[in-house]
């Protein structure tokens, strides 16, 4: 939690811009802690109108080495009609990161319409898809599935060689029509497919991503 808050605070300071965090209702101790930390870092927190518990990933370490992770909370939220303030903040945003880990917020029709409208108006939308979540809205600039998510979305086999992953990204570029192009299916190397549907040269190594 603290690393997320530090990143948000540092980003706001670096870009000299306003950051808004749209979250579920903070009905538990973990949620209230996150909200207070974000607000202390001058990040505006608005209520999405969803009820649920705060997702937590608790990492256990010994001697500075991670041993295991225990996940709890954060099941799919119950979505009410979003507050007008939420939709107003989305529609007026210049950059939007959508990452709800398949908990229902990105599928809420009014929220999707607001994100789509913002993208049409020129907002830069980055979409982190999830197997339980919806496809990105049209106009999304970058989509960032990991390799398993990309293969699942495309119904592809588990070939992780670079040419196959590049073909996979091209296929998703056609299935998900973002303005810029899907970002990399994140694996050992990460091809990027641009708006023309061709891989961008110069793939760079990328570390494996932890299961979500």
């Amino acid at each position: 939690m603290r690393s997320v808050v530090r990143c948000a605070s540092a980003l706001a300071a670096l870009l000299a811009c306003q950051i808004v965090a749209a979250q579920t209702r903070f009905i538990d101790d973990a949620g209230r802690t996150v909200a207070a930390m974000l607000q202390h870092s001058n990040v505006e927190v608005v209520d999405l109108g969803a009820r649920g518990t705060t997702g937590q990933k608790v990492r256990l370490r010994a001697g500075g080495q991670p041993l295991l992770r225990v996940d709890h909370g954060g099941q799919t939220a119950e979505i009410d009609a979003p507050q007008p303030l939420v939709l107003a903040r989305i529609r007026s945003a210049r950059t939007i990161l959508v990452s709800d880990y398949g908990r229902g917020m990105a599928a809420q029709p009014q929220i999707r319409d607001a994100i789509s409208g913002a993208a049409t108006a020129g907002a830069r939308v980055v979409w982190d898809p999830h197997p339980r979540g919806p496809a990105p809205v049209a106009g999304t600039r970058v989509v960032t599935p990991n390799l398993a998510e990309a293969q699942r979305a495309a119904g592809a086999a588990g070939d992780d060689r670079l040419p196959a992953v590049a073909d996979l990204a091209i296929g998703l570029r056609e299935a998900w029509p973002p303005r810029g192009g899907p970002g990399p299916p994140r694996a050992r190397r990460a091809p990027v497919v641009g708006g023309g549907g061709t891989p961008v040269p110069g793939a760079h190594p990328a570390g494996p991503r932890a299961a979500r």
Side-chain angles (χ1 to χ4, degrees):
M1 272 189 284
R2 286 175 172 79
S3 62
V4 172
V5 173
R6 284 196 295 268
C7 288
S9 179
L11 186 61
L14 176 65
L15 300 179
C17 66
Q18 178 189 29
I19 293 182
V20 179
Q23 299 280 2
T24 58
R25 289 190 183 125
F26 298 102
I27 60 173
D28 53 13
D29 289 341
R32 285 188 286 268
T33 298
V34 173
M37 293 170 68
L38 287 168
Q39 290 164 343
H40 182 73
S41 299
N42 298 316
V43 175
E44 180 186 0
V45 180
V46 296
D47 181 7
L48 274 172
R51 296 185 301 276
T53 56
T54 303
Q56 300 181 61
K57 300 178 185 295
V58 181
R59 289 173 172 82
L60 305 182
R61 304 173 187 270
Q65 298 298 316
L67 298 178
L68 57 98
R69 192 183 80 190
V70 179
D71 296 356
H72 56 90
Q75 292 84 6
T76 302
E78 297 179 33
I79 307 294
D80 296 332
Q83 299 294 324
L85 177 61
V86 173
L87 301 178
R89 289 291 187 267
I90 293 173
R91 292 183 182 121
S92 64
R94 290 182 293 177
T95 303
I96 301 172
L97 169 63
V98 180
S99 181
D100 78 340
Y101 286 73
R103 290 178 182 134
M105 287 172 281
Q108 207 281 340
Q110 290 173 277
I111 291 175
R112 285 184 65 83
D113 286 346
I115 296 171
S116 180
T120 300
R124 296 172 290 272
V125 177
V126 179
W127 197 287
D128 183 20
H130 192 277
R132 295 193 304 269
V137 300
T140 298
R141 295 288 182 97
V142 179
V143 186
T144 61
N146 64 27
L147 180 57
E149 291 164 349
Q151 289 171 337
R152 190 178 294 109
D159 189 343
D160 62 357
R161 292 172 295 181
L162 187 58
V165 175
D167 289 342
L168 175 62
I170 292 170
L172 288 176
R173 172 64 183 85
E174 296 173 354
W176 293 336
R179 181 178 304 161
R186 289 166 292 194
R188 287 189 295 274
R189 293 181 67 81
V192 178
V193 176
T198 56
V200 176
H204 300 286
R209 186 180 179 194
R212 299 195 285 179

